[in-house]
Structure formats: C-alpha cells, structure tokens
C-alpha cells in the first residue's frame, strides 16, 4: 500500500466453487448467482523475449517472458479476454524444485514483471535451488492490457491529496471530481480491474505453469492480494510470505487512515538523522526541534511554494510531505531526505541551496523514464481502479472536510491527507462484487513480516492481517523502521524467511526480531 508514490514523484483477486480449486465468492461458498468457469483455461506459457525496457534500466539476462489470457469478467469466462504479462527465471535445480514462487510488489499499480531478477539478487542459494521465480504485471498494469484514464498531468500526489493552506480541501474536491469524471469514460471496463479478479488471474497463472499449488511473496498492497488469493483458493496456496501488511478488515479508507499513526511512528527516525547533522543542516539539534522545523516549513510552503532556480518545479507543502512519506520507507533514503529538507528550507527562506543539495533535489524530482507501450498515467489509473473498485466510499463531501480537520489537528505530520477526499467519492461505477472475506480457513503456510515503524503499512496493519488469517499464519514483528523487512538489516528476520521458504518452518507463537536503528 505504500509504494504508491514513487521517489521520483516529478509531479506524482472462477466465481464458482470448484472441487479442484476451492474457489469461492467473497470468501464464502459460491451460490446460485455464480456462473460456471467455462471458457478456455490456458495450460502452458510460451516463454520468449520480454518487453522493451525503459531507458537506463537493466534486466536479468536469464529472465524470459510470456503471456496468459484471462477473462475480463470472470462471471462471463467465455467473453472478452485480456492479457497478463508474466516472467520467469528458472533457478530451481533438477530434483530439488519444490515449486514456483510468484512475486507482487504492491502499489497498487506497480509493475512486477522484473521482480524475479530483483529478488534473485537477494535470495540465498537454498531458496533459488528450490523455486523458479515468477513475476507478473497485474491486470491493467504495465504490459498487462494497461489501462488509462487519460489523466494528463495528474500525479499520485493529487490522488493522495494533502489539503491546501490552512487545511482547505476545496482544491482537493475539485480535483477528485475531475479525475472521477475522466475515469468514467472507461468506467464500464475499469470496474473489472479489482483485487479479487487479480487474485483469480494469479490462479490462471498457476494453471498455465502446470502447478498444483503456487507459492507467493507479496509486499505492501501485495499482502492484501495474497490474502485474497489464499481465501479464494486455499487448496492452491503453498508457502506465502506477506511483507509490510494491509489489514483486510480496513479496505480501503480505514487502511489509509492508519497512515496518520504510521507517520508519527516513523518520522522520528529521520528527525534523529537530521539532528545528528545539525551543524551542517541547521534543522534542529533534537528530533523534536527537527519535527517543529519540518512542520513550520510545510506550512510556509503551503502558502508560498518555493521554485528551484533554473527549473519549473515548485516545492509545495504537499510535495514536501509526499516526498517525505515516500523516502521514509527505506532507511538508506533518510540521509538524502534530510538534504531535501535543507534545500527546501533554504529556498523558502530566499537562500541559494548548496550545489550538493540541489543535486539531491534534482535526482529525487527527476522524471521516471517512460516505458514503451505503458501509458504515463497507468499507475495512477490502477491505484484508483483498486481503491475505488474494491469497495464503496462515502459521497458526503462535508464528512471528508470534518475528518480531515480533526486528523490534521491530531496528526500534524500527515496534515489530514489520509482522511481527505479521493476521486472514489465521485466514482461512476459501484463495485461488481463484495469485498472478499479473508479467513483462517486453510493450511498453516503463511509468514507475516511486519516492521514496528512502517509508515506505509503501519504496525496495526500487520496485526490486522494476523487476526484475519488466525492460526493459518505465523507472525514475525521486527523492531525496525521502514516499509521492507527482508534484506534490510535484520539477520533474525532474514533467517526466519529463508527457513520458511525452504523448510516451511513458522514461528510457533508470535515472534519478534531486533532490527537496525538509524
């Protein structure tokens, strides 16, 4: 859920119960409303070249790609189809392979086609010998029949809206209404791009791979997608790692609201980094002083954005907060984040930032390279498709104004954004089905990884996932900050993850690990 605003923000889950699969509707046995899953089910994948990369990016040369045809509407499986792009790095050793490990990076809307190559760099030989690594772009995302609302100039920072000066949401209401109106032009088709259908696509990938069961590693929003799959297809779920978790009981408005406490938990880590470099940064000698400086700076930039000399980029309070939210997700980005704060403070005060700070700002705000065949607004479109298409939202504008003001007063670091109005309030289509009920029914084969100080999917999200999955899951909490657990400095957590993937070992009780502290 936290990968929705990229660091380069340059403004920016078979509807019938089938004995062989255990498929269900909304987590409950399918009833007379369901339609038989007829139509063609792909049972193999033709592996070949992968789509062209964006300029300046690289791909593991061992990776091959293919496609899987799936129904646009699983209620009409013999009707229109769409394409899901899949990838594979065949790492499993003959005689040692135990299965296929499917990855999803979350977002929603993030492309996952090249995730096998990224994960291959971090996974030990024991895991690589046991699994072929499988990636995919979720339906509507990237190279999987990409969807576009045609949102010219609309970034993710406008979809996740920070209020204006003094907490006004008038501009947010106008933007939300306009974006919803634009997406209504493809709304009749966009409504089929929800989490439940994405999970059903995952089972089509499993069938195309010829696998009886599939293992899975989901991050952020991908944890919810995995939980939906495990609930719709419990008999097809092998080992599953859920890292940085969404609370299934809070989809979606209540989950966004948890960002308030998440910022309160995580921001002090960055503030301590800044305070340790006070002689250079001048933002405050204690975490409290840095926090006060940040809040005052954000308020000034709300009222008067600062323009970087030689560019058209204006650093507003919303941009400052959005960049901060994103960079808090990784510990290695905390020091560059403090330089961004320093440059913004200098610009706001009418001073010329140091050349090194200007370079940091330019890198952070650089446009992400375009991917051939993928619309510029693809991620923004798919964020909205999932958030607005999975569940209904209040249409009472005044309720958002009140909630935003209350949250802004209680949680000044997030400034009321998590409670503010989204285009979902004006969405043209109702969800095509109820929210899937995530349940504890199924084998004990899920590992939940959760950092204590995760601003994007806070601790409460991990505990909520634990409650939803019950004894089906083992829980590992890490005393660590940031959005990612594996490979970020906790040897304890890394060993537990590897032991689970190779041996199926899960903590007997909820367990905890130490983690590095900035």
């Amino acid at each position: 859920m936290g990968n929705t605003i990229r660091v380069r923000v340059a403004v920016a889950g078979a509807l019938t119960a089938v004995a062989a699969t255990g498929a269900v509707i909304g987590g409950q046995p399918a009833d007379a409303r369901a339609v038989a899953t007829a139509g063609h089910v792909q049972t193999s994948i033709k592996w070949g070249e992968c789509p062209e990369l964006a300029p300046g990016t690289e791909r593991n040369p061992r990776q091959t790609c293919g496609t899987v045809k799936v129904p646009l509407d699983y209620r009409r499986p013999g009707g229109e189809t769409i394409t899901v792009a899949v990838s594979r790095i065949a790492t499993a050793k003959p005689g040692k392979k135990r299965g296929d490990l499917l990855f999803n990076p979350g977002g929603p809307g993030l492309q996952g086609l090249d995730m096998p190559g990224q994960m291959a760099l971090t996974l030990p030989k024991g895991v690589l010998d046991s699994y072929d690594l499988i990636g995919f772009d979720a339906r509507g995302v990237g190279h999987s029949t990409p969807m576009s609302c045609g949102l010219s100039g609309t970034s993710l920072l406008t979809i996740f809206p920070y209020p204006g000066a003094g907490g006004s949401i008038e501009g947010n209401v106008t933007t939300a209404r306009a974006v919803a109106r634009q997406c209504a032009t493809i709304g009749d088709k966009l409504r089929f791009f929800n989490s439940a259908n994405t999970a059903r696509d995952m089972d089509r990938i499993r069938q195309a791979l010829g696998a009886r069961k599939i293992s899975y590693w989901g991050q952020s929003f991908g944890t919810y997608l995995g939980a939906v799959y495990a609930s719709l297809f419990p008999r097809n779920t092998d080992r599953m790692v859920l890292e940085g978790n969404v609370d299934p009981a809070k989809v979606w408005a209540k989950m966004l609201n948890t960002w308030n406490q998440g910022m309160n938990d995580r921001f002090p880590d960055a503030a301590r980094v800044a305070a340790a470099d006070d002689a250079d940064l001048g933002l405050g000698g204690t975490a409290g002083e840095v926090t006060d400086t940040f809040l005052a700076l954000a308020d000034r930039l709300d009222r008067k954005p600062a323009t970087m000399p030689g560019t058209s980029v204006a650093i507003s309070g919303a941009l400052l907060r959005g960049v901060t939210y994103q960079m808090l997700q990784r510990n290695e980005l905390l020091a560059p984040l403090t330089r961004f704060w320093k440059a913004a403070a200098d610009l706001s005060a009418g001073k010329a930032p140091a050349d090194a700070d200007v370079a940091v700002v330019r890198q952070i705000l650089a446009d992400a390279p375009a991917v051939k065949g993928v619309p510029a607004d693809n991620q923004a479109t798919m964020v909205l498709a999932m958030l607005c298409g999975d569940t209904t939202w209040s249409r009472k504008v005044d309720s958002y104004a009140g909630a935003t003001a209350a949250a802004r007063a209680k949680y000044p670091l997030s400034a009321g954004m998590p409670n503010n109005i989204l285009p979902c309030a004006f969405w043209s289509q109702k969800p095509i089905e109820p929210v899937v009920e995530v349940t504890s029914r199924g084998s004990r084969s899920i590992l939940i990884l959760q950092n204590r100080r995760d601003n994007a999917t806070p601790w409460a999200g991990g505990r909520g996932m634990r409650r939803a999955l019950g004894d089906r899951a083992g829980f590992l909490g890490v005393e660590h900050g940031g959005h990612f657990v594996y490979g970020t400095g906790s040897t304890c957590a890394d060993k537990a993850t590897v032991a689970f993937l190779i041996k199926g070992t899960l903590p007997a009780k909820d367990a905890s690990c130490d983690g590095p502290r900035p």
Side-chain angles (χ1 to χ4, degrees), residues 1-6 12 106-111 138-142 147-149 151 154-161 179 183 190 193-195 221 251-252 256 259 377-391 393 422-424 427:
M1 193 57 216
N3 292 332
T4 48
I5 304 172
R6 304 181 63 160
L110 287 177
Q111 298 175 42
R139 63 164 49 205
V141 174
M147 299 301 291
S148 169
C149 290
L151 301 174
T154 299
S155 74
L156 291 169
L157 285 178
T158 61
I159 292 173
F160 291 98
V179 169
C183 285
L190 194 60
F193 292 78
N194 62 8
S195 295
F221 165 80
V251 174
W252 281 113
L256 297 187
W259 287 358
D377 72 327
N378 178 240
Q379 189 191 353
T381 295
M382 292 312 299
V383 168
L384 292 172
M386 295 295 184
L387 296 186
C388 307
D390 277 352
T391 186
W393 292 68
L422 297 180
C424 303
W427 211 239

Side-chain angles (χ1 to χ4, degrees), residues 230-252:
S231 297
L232 290 176
F233 302 98
R235 299 177 188 176
N236 302 346
T237 302
D238 201 2
R239 294 171 187 170
M240 181 173 283
V241 177
L242 305 180
E243 179 184 16
N245 291 262
V246 168
D247 183 347
K250 295 182 177 179
V251 174
W252 281 113

Side-chain angles (χ1 to χ4, degrees), residues 7 22 30 33 44 49 54 70 113 115 138 175 239 253 295 303 305 308 319 346 385 387 420 438 460 503 507 509:
V7 173
R33 296 172 300 161
S44 65
E49 292 187 5
V70 300
L113 202 64
M115 201 168 175
T175 297
R239 294 171 187 170
L295 292 172
R303 302 176 190 283
M308 176 71 68
L319 183 58
D346 286 344
L387 296 186
N420 205 352
V438 173
K503 301 177 182 179
K509 298 180 179 180

